[in-house]
Each structure stands twice: as C-alpha cells, then as structure tokens.
Amino acid sequence: MDHSEILRYVANGLVATLVHFLVLTLNMEWIGFESAGLSNLIAAAFGIAASFIGSRYYVFKKHEAPVISQASLFFSLYATIAIVHGLILLIWTDVHENDYRIGFLFATVFQVIVSYIGNKYLVF
C-alpha cells in the first residue's frame, strides 16, 4: 500500500470537496436554490473537474494514457457518484428536512470510499 498516494488522494479530495462545498453553499445561500439535490449536482460538476485534474497530475501521476480515455472513465464514475450524492442530499434535506450540511458529510464519506477504489482500479 502506497501511503504517499493515499495522502495525496486525501489532499486532492479535500481541495475538490472544498470546491464542491463552496459552490453548493453559493447555490443554497447566495443564489437561493430551493433544492439541495439540484444545487448539489451543479456543485458536484465543479468538484469533479478539480478532482480529475488533481488525480491525473498529482495523486496517481498517470498522465501517459490519453486524457480523453481517462476523462471518460473518470467522469462516468463521478457522474454515478454525483447522482448518488445528490440523491442522498435530496432524501436527507428535501424529503426529511434535515440540515444539508450534515447530509453533505454523509454523502461525502460514501464518495471518498467509492472514488478511491474506482480511480485506483478503473481509471488510473
């Protein structure tokens, strides 16, 4: 197990999560989106883009493969994760009327586990 890779993954994930959360907060607090689920899907696109760049060049350092191939796999994986992430927030916040920030934490734990495994074994 490469501990330095895991540390880079965590650092990259923190940056991508920060981007995601900042856009989510912007959508919910400043723009005034009514739906946390929809707002989260938009925010996820920004977080996913930040994560791909960091994963390709910083975490896994596998940029010999064509960027289009890796990007296609990466975005497919993350689109699936984003849908589930959005559904978690939709159910947690929109249906059960709980705080979207706590739902975001639950959804992010799921995302971290699935994305590391998917990136390590499927994408990079």
Side-chain angles (χ1 to χ4, degrees), residues 78-91:
Y78 274 71
T80 302
I81 292 170
I83 289 167
V84 175
H85 199 284
L87 287 172
I88 290 169
L89 273 179
L90 176 81
I91 293 166

Side-chain angles (χ1 to χ4, degrees), residues 26-81:
L26 172 77
N27 289 343
M28 295 295 292
E29 305 290 334
W30 294 355
I31 296 173
F33 273 60
E34 300 273 328
S35 170
L38 176 61
S39 178
N40 184 67
L41 288 176
I42 293 166
F46 287 88
I48 290 168
S51 182
F52 175 74
I53 292 166
S55 292
R56 180 172 165 88
Y57 295 103
Y58 176 65
V59 177
F60 299 104
K61 299 180 181 178
K62 301 247 175 138
H63 39 87
E64 313 82 43
V67 70
I68 297 298
S69 298
Q70 285 181 331
S72 295
L73 289 170
F74 187 90
F75 288 109
S76 295
L77 173 66
Y78 274 71
T80 302
I81 292 170

Side-chain angles (χ1 to χ4, degrees), residues 2 5 60 62 77 115-124:
D2 183 354
E5 180 181 271
F60 299 104
K62 301 247 175 138
L77 173 66
S115 67
Y116 181 78
I117 293 167
N119 281 322
K120 179 134 181 98
Y121 297 107
L122 297 174
V123 179
F124 301 103

Side-chain angles (χ1 to χ4, degrees), residues 84-101:
V84 175
H85 199 284
L87 287 172
I88 290 169
L89 273 179
L90 176 81
I91 293 166
W92 179 265
T93 304
D94 298 344
V95 173
H96 294 289
E97 299 180 354
N98 295 311
D99 189 322
Y100 74 92
R101 292 167 286 228

